[in-house]
Amino acid sequence: MYRVALTGHRTLGKDFSVKVLENTLVELMSEGADTFYCGMAMGFDLLCGEMLCEMKEGSGIRLIACIPCADQSAMFSKAALRQYKRVFENADEHIILHDRYTSGCMFERNRYMVDHSDVVLAYLRTQKGGTFYTVEYAKKKQKPILYI
């Protein structure tokens, strides 16, 4: 049994395949992944969260919503807010690091997920931003990284 941190860009590129992501999550579960940390950001995070909500029933996996600040979804679009609420409501646990947005809280959330995971599943296409930071932090912590 092992834990997986999910990290990826808010905008999914033309190269992104939902089917590849779904197959990867199923493969991780078949190899013993039983806990998934979702950062609850738009894009990759919430897509993974929704897929895992659908896969959870009868599988024994746990979905942990790692929320950097209680007001994280305040600026989300209506569609993203609906996604956020579905994942939030179906998560087995909610970890909320701050009541309100604070400088650096997103990076703190990312470090928390890496520190509590055994493997990082990443959709990384640019060498900047939160996903890049998270992957670099995971490398420093010598965590295996599986790229989508």
Side-chain angles (χ1 to χ4, degrees):
M1 302 303 206
Y2 63 94
R3 303 160 298 172
V4 178
L6 307 165
T7 187
H9 302 299
R10 287 182 175 87
T11 302
L12 304 176
K14 292 178 183 177
D15 68 330
F16 185 81
S17 168
V18 171
K19 190 65 179 166
V20 169
L21 174 59
E22 181 180 14
N23 291 342
T24 302
L25 292 172
V26 168
E27 184 177 333
L28 286 167
M29 290 166 40
S30 73
E31 294 172 352
D34 64 344
T35 303
F36 292 84
Y37 289 90
C38 179
M40 303 295 287
M42 290 185 287
F44 183 80
D45 288 8
L46 289 177
L47 179 58
C48 287
E50 279 194 315
M51 286 184 168
L52 289 164
C53 287
E54 292 174 19
M55 296 175 181
K56 269 181 47 160
E57 192 155 335
S59 70
I61 65 167
R62 289 177 36 83
L63 177 60
I64 300 175
C66 292
I67 301 165
C69 52
D71 57 352
Q72 176 185 16
S73 64
M75 302 301 282
F76 282 16
S77 68
K78 286 182 182 181
L81 189 55
R82 281 192 300 273
Q83 247 186 331
Y84 181 92
K85 286 180 178 180
R86 275 194 303 272
V87 175
F88 185 90
E89 289 168 1
N90 287 285
D92 297 289
E93 186 177 341
H94 306 100
I95 296 165
I96 302 172
L97 299 176
H98 297 277
D99 291 333
R100 282 185 281 277
Y101 175 82
T102 60
S103 179
C105 70
M106 304 294 178
F107 295 122
E108 184 180 345
R109 180 260 331 265
N110 297 343
R111 290 189 303 270
Y112 180 94
M113 293 193 314
V114 169
D115 290 343
H116 288 84
S117 69
D118 301 300
V119 174
V120 175
L121 176 62
Y123 173 67
L124 176 65
R125 293 297 181 268
T126 60
Q127 305 299 301
K128 61 182 179 178
T131 301
F132 178 68
Y133 172 89
T134 305
V135 167
E136 290 300 302
Y137 182 76
K139 288 177 183 176
K140 288 178 190 166
K141 293 292 186 171
Q142 300 181 338
K143 303 281 180 157
I145 302 163
L146 178 61
Y147 295 96
I148 294 283

